[in-house]
Amino acid sequence: MGSGPLSGVKVVEFAGIGPGPYCGMLLADMGADVIRIDRKGARGGSKFEISSRGKRSIALDLKKPEAVETALKLIEKADILQEGFRPGVMERLGLGPDVCLKRNPKLVYGRMTGWGQTGPMALAAGHDINYISLTGALHSIGRPGEKPVPPLNLVGDFGGGALFLAMGMLAALVEANKSGKGQVVDAAMTDGATSLMAMFFGFQAAGIWHEPHGTNMLDGGAHFYDTYETKDGKWISIGSIEPQFYALLREKAGLTDAIWDQQMDRTKWPEMKTEIEAVFKTKTRDEWCAIMEGTDICFAPVLSLTEAKDHPHNKARETIVEVDGVAQPNIAPRFSRTVSKIQGAPAINGAHTLEVLKDWGFADGEVDALKKVEAI
């Protein structure tokens, strides 16, 4: 049994890509027993699939009724089910919410999709870039006069999808432990990404957010909140919003002219941006780090994934660790008493089928019968 605040919680995860496995990884890191149901015969699983760590994999041929029944028997004993198929897929498999909740009335049934379970777009294909396009998030990210810039797939898949699914399922689990009743959690990436934009909706309503991207305080429009190239072609980031932080920036960067007194004058930002760009190109990134890092300027070097492993702060907190030769994020968040940890290596497809069936109470005869019909 895993260690962490979710120790003892049983999760059935239907195999998927991207945000689904990542959500399951978070639960596994916190000690949940996450059983991933893979398609029998599917090849996959390696030490590089970090989001599969700490789980166990059972391979089933869900085209066979015996395999569906096996999945339902696992679900009967689970606290949480999570799936990320298009609406209707689980129902066609015979594993929809009505069936599963009838077998396990306390089950938390987590569903994550891009568009949600309902709405005119619900059945359409899509990816992160499409989901955040519909929310206003993608429109808000980019340089003035240039096209919007995809922020990897962090905002839709992982921020708006996986994290909201995890939060929703755990909230439903808390409630189910009080009421004895499960429920369906509909986590749409469009909903989650829109929720992440709450502050900016407020800014717009207050008249302090301009829709052209790259012209606002937090989107790179302001000279005191942006990234800058240094003499050696590397980059630094500045976030000196508050007056006392801005004053320290001026001091350390030698910004003494009167124009710098007008921090919040949007009309001056382009001119100040040009001037401060020239200032930062006078020194290397390491030289600016020696001057500014660790101060209240709100400064950091812009590090690559490779560089991030070796930064003293990340090393001190063991934020990035190496498992089987693969650098990867350590657990997050951290708990003072029920300490989480990486529970094990990434699951190889079907590697734990017999082990899981035994651990979850299947008799030898049941397992033999499943083998006979090639359901497992």
Side-chain angles (χ1 to χ4, degrees):
M1 184 176 293
S3 63
L6 295 184
S7 179
V9 173
K10 293 180 177 290
V11 180
V12 171
E13 172 192 324
F14 282 80
I17 60 173
Y22 176 67
C23 178
M25 183 199 84
L26 295 176
L27 302 182
D29 284 351
M30 288 187 277
D33 183 9
V34 179
I35 305 303
R36 189 183 70 214
I37 296 182
D38 284 301
R39 180 168 54 87
K40 185 187 176 190
R43 302 180 69 178
S46 77
K47 66 180 183 178
F48 303 111
E49 295 178 11
I50 294 169
S51 58
S52 294
R53 71 189 188 192
K55 306 175 186 178
R56 294 188 288 174
S57 168
I58 175 173
L60 298 175
D61 182 356
L62 292 175
K63 293 180 180 179
K64 289 184 164 58
E66 295 87 352
V68 173
E69 180 60 27
T70 299
L72 285 169
K73 287 183 178 179
L74 293 172
I75 291 164
E76 283 178 0
K77 299 181 179 182
D79 301 291
I80 292 172
L81 178 156
Q82 68 165 87
E83 59 97 0
F85 300 123
R86 290 198 213 187
V89 171
M90 289 290 282
E91 284 82 353
R92 289 194 292 275
L93 290 171
L95 296 167
D98 291 347
V99 174
C100 292
L101 284 163
K102 188 174 181 180
R103 298 283 287 261
N104 180 357
K106 199 177 177 182
L107 179 70
V108 172
Y109 194 112
R111 318 194 79 170
M112 179 169 52
T113 57
W115 310 110
Q117 296 297 313
T118 60
M121 299 286 287
L123 296 179
H127 276 299
D128 178 291
I129 193 170
N130 311 121
Y131 310 137
I132 67 173
S133 293
L134 214 67
T135 67
L138 184 57
H139 181 276
S140 302
I141 302 171
R143 292 297 180 187
E146 298 181 10
K147 65 181 182 180
V149 177
L152 303 182
N153 58 330
L154 298 176
V155 177
D157 281 352
F158 300 116
L163 292 179
F164 276 83
L165 178 64
M167 178 179 67
M169 293 192 305
L170 294 179
L173 181 62
V174 170
E175 196 281 333
N177 286 336
K178 293 186 293 184
S179 69
K181 297 178 182 179
Q183 60 184 305
V184 176
V185 178
D186 176 3
M189 295 174 202
T190 50
D191 294 347
T194 301
S195 180
L196 294 174
M197 294 294 288
M199 184 173 73
F200 302 99
F201 276 97
F203 284 171
Q204 184 181 58
I208 58 176
W209 186 262
H210 299 177
E211 288 212 325
H213 52 234
T215 64
N216 298 284
M217 183 171 68
L218 296 177
D219 63 2
H223 61 288
F224 53 85
Y225 196 94
D226 205 351
T227 57
Y228 292 99
E229 189 176 8
T230 56
K231 186 177 181 180
D232 52 350
K234 297 182 180 179
W235 298 83
I236 59 173
S237 65
I238 299 291
S240 309
I241 298 174
E242 292 81 357
Q244 66 274 28
F245 302 156
Y246 183 69
L248 190 57
L249 169 66
R250 290 186 61 182
E251 175 191 331
K252 297 293 186 180
L255 309 177
T256 57
D257 292 347
I259 189 175
W260 303 105
D261 295 339
Q262 304 171 72
Q263 179 186 1
M264 293 299 176
D265 185 346
R266 285 175 177 262
T267 66
K268 304 292 186 184
W269 285 356
E271 180 184 353
M272 289 190 278
K273 180 69 70 73
T274 299
E275 292 195 26
I276 203 169
E277 285 173 346
V279 170
F280 284 125
K281 282 188 176 180
T282 63
K283 300 183 190 305
T284 67
R285 189 180 72 183
D286 286 350
E287 288 173 329
W288 284 117
C289 285
I291 295 169
M292 295 184 169
E293 193 167 18
T295 73
D296 280 351
I297 286 173
C298 300
F299 166 96
V302 178
L303 304 179
S304 68
L305 289 175
T306 301
E307 292 173 322
K309 292 186 296 182
D310 296 321
H311 190 277
H313 184 79
N314 292 335
K315 291 180 76 171
R317 287 184 58 82
E318 297 185 305
T319 302
I320 301 168
V321 294
E322 191 171 290
V323 179
D324 196 16
V326 179
Q328 57 194 274
N330 206 344
I331 53 92
R334 306 183 188 195
F335 299 88
S336 64
R337 182 173 56 81
T338 54
V339 178
S340 299
K341 67 176 183 179
I342 296 174
Q343 307 291 338
I348 305 300
N349 291 8
H352 308 95
T353 299
L354 299 181
E355 175 187 313
V356 167
L357 292 176
K358 180 180 179 181
D359 286 355
W360 283 45
F362 283 70
D364 290 342
E366 292 178 288
V367 174
D368 290 340
L370 291 170
K371 289 180 181 178
K372 187 174 182 180
V373 297
E374 298 184 341
I376 58 173

